Amino acid sequence: MSTICCFGEVLLRFSPVANGGWIQQSTMPVFVGGAELNVALALSNWNVPVRYATGMPVNALASDITDYITGRGVDPSGLIHNQPGQTTGNRIGTYYLPQGSDLKNAGVIYDRAGSAFAELKPGQIDWEPVLQGVGRLHISAISPALSAQAAEVCRELLATASAQGISISIDLNYRARLWQYGKKPVAIMPDLVQYCDVVMGNIWAANTLLGIPVGDHITEQSTQDDYVAHSQVTSEAIQAHFPRCKVVANTFRFSKQPTGIRYYTTLFTEGKTYVSPLYEADTVVDQIGSGDCFMAGLLYGLYNNHEPQTILNFATAAAFGKLSEVGDDTKQTVADVLTLTR
């Protein structure tokens, strides 16, 4: 069976108790994560052959993380420091997010400059062993947000994978605090999305990253029917701009006062929009990684050649289930997800 390869930066998330509680307690939970690794770990849970590719330093911390990744059933042969002569930077990227916050929250603090991944350079990596036996490649919009250098590494990888006939997926996750090197996302991302067969995001990310308009009639007061209809407009525009794209998925996640959430998704393929059931929860344990779990669900369904509605229902249920888990990646099994499908 072919392998799915996920490429992106491994991260450590430090999760302090808000308002200085972590100082009083002299402790701070830490989680291994990163958008693409979260996808890889979910796929491994679901018995899909998966490889993870990233830049890693050569030190004891990196060894611990490599052991963790391998122990979760992910093929680590894409780790760049595992290639002869390819020693990269000397640290793991980190970020700090107070407990209960979302990555879009102003409280996130990134500490990723000078990491092994950020130091990767175009022309440095021999992509052939990384892509050997790979049928699908997944990246996200987080990597090209780090630097012009990182964006070029992504383009190099996508061009190589495309030339080999590998199906490519991308998550249009937008992190405003990462785009700090003088380029707007819309100047970078279209050059990458041109290689992609599967695009996941939402109507606002498509606007910010790809320049796809959001209609003036779409407001915070818009109905679910309004959003679903606009998801098709956005999906059609993406496919018109990027003819290689065959599947577009959009997620809609809204706060439900005081601490809950409303969640639904759409999938557009072969001229038809599929809509998930609506999920609601009064409380959320941890919002981190829910979108990655949805992406993994899409890839799981596509890998197994499921019907579009089945793919969407599984991915949506998985993402919703992740909201009840602590940590960056899901520990749900296929059976766990199926109990949540509607």
Side-chain angles (χ1 to χ4, degrees):
M1 294 191 297
S2 64
T3 293
I4 296 178
C5 179
C6 300
F7 173 76
E9 183 171 21
V10 64
L11 293 171
L12 294 176
R13 170 171 54 122
F14 292 92
S15 187
V17 175
N19 301 317
W22 61 276
I23 299 175
Q24 305 303 322
Q25 298 172 13
S26 300
T27 186
M28 187 184 301
V30 61
F31 304 98
V32 176
E36 302 81 8
L37 178 58
N38 294 340
V39 172
L41 292 170
L43 289 170
S44 180
N45 288 347
W46 304 333
N47 299 312
V48 174
V50 62
R51 177 178 303 152
Y52 181 56
T54 191
M56 291 279 276
V58 180
N59 57 38
L61 189 63
S63 295
D64 288 346
I65 294 172
T66 300
D67 290 344
Y68 172 75
I69 292 170
T70 305
R72 292 286 302 276
V74 175
D75 174 4
S77 62
L79 303 184
I80 305 307
H81 73 226
N82 285 351
Q83 299 185 30
Q86 294 292 338
T87 300
T88 57
N90 60 8
R91 64 181 296 258
I92 300 290
T94 67
Y95 71 101
Y96 299 79
L97 190 71
Q99 294 179 27
S101 301
D102 189 285
L103 270 178
K104 297 175 184 177
N105 185 285
V108 64
I109 301 170
Y110 289 108
D111 184 15
R112 302 171 71 164
S115 70
F117 186 88
E119 294 296 306
L120 293 175
K121 297 177 177 61
Q124 173 187 354
I125 302 167
D126 179 3
W127 294 115
E128 295 304 318
V130 173
L131 297 175
Q132 184 175 7
V134 169
R136 290 183 177 274
L137 169 69
H138 176 65
I139 71 164
S140 83
I142 292 177
S143 296
L146 296 174
S147 67
Q149 177 176 297
E152 186 55 35
V153 170
C154 290
R155 190 185 190 286
E156 180 183 78
L157 169 59
L158 297 188
T160 302
S162 178
Q164 295 184 16
I166 294 171
S167 178
I168 299 170
S169 60
I170 190 166
D171 182 348
L172 298 180
N173 33 16
Y174 175 59
R175 303 288 183 264
R177 290 194 169 208
L178 291 180
W179 288 93
Q180 301 296 323
Y181 60 94
K183 292 285 188 179
K184 291 188 178 297
V186 74
I188 301 294
M189 291 306 303
D191 197 36
L192 304 181
V193 175
Q194 66 171 319
Y195 295 105
C196 297
D197 303 86
V198 180
V199 175
M200 190 276 271
N202 58 52
I203 60 177
W204 300 280
N207 174 245
T208 302
L209 299 178
L210 302 178
I212 305 297
V214 175
D216 293 338
H217 65 288
I218 297 296
T219 68
E220 292 182 359
Q221 285 71 45
S222 294
T223 66
Q224 181 173 342
D225 288 343
D226 293 332
Y227 288 125
V228 167
H230 204 293
S231 76
Q232 176 159 329
V233 173
T234 294
S235 299
E236 290 173 341
I238 289 174
Q239 290 190 341
H241 282 80
F242 308 102
R244 179 165 171 168
C245 179
K246 303 176 184 66
V247 177
V248 182
N250 284 278
T251 63
F252 296 92
R253 192 171 76 180
F254 302 102
S255 297
K256 176 184 175 184
Q257 298 301 324
T259 59
I261 205 164
R262 298 178 70 249
Y263 184 73
Y264 56 91
T265 66
T266 65
L267 186 148
F268 182 79
T269 186
E270 296 184 344
K272 181 176 179 180
T273 293
Y274 298 83
V275 184
S276 79
L278 169 66
Y279 285 82
E280 296 186 271
D282 292 329
T283 58
V284 172
V285 173
D286 195 336
Q287 296 191 36
I288 304 302
S290 177
D292 306 326
C293 199
F294 178 83
M295 185 73 241
L298 288 183
L299 293 176
Y300 172 81
L302 291 167
Y303 182 88
N304 288 289
N305 296 311
H306 293 162
E307 294 298 316
Q309 190 67 58
T310 301
I311 293 173
L312 185 66
N313 289 355
F314 182 90
T316 308
F320 184 75
K322 174 63 190 71
L323 295 171
S324 297
E325 297 179 281
V326 175
D328 286 39
D329 69 277
T330 186
K331 308 301 189 298
Q332 297 172 100
T333 64
V334 169
D336 293 332
V337 175
L338 291 177
T339 63
L340 297 174
T341 57
R342 298 174 181 172

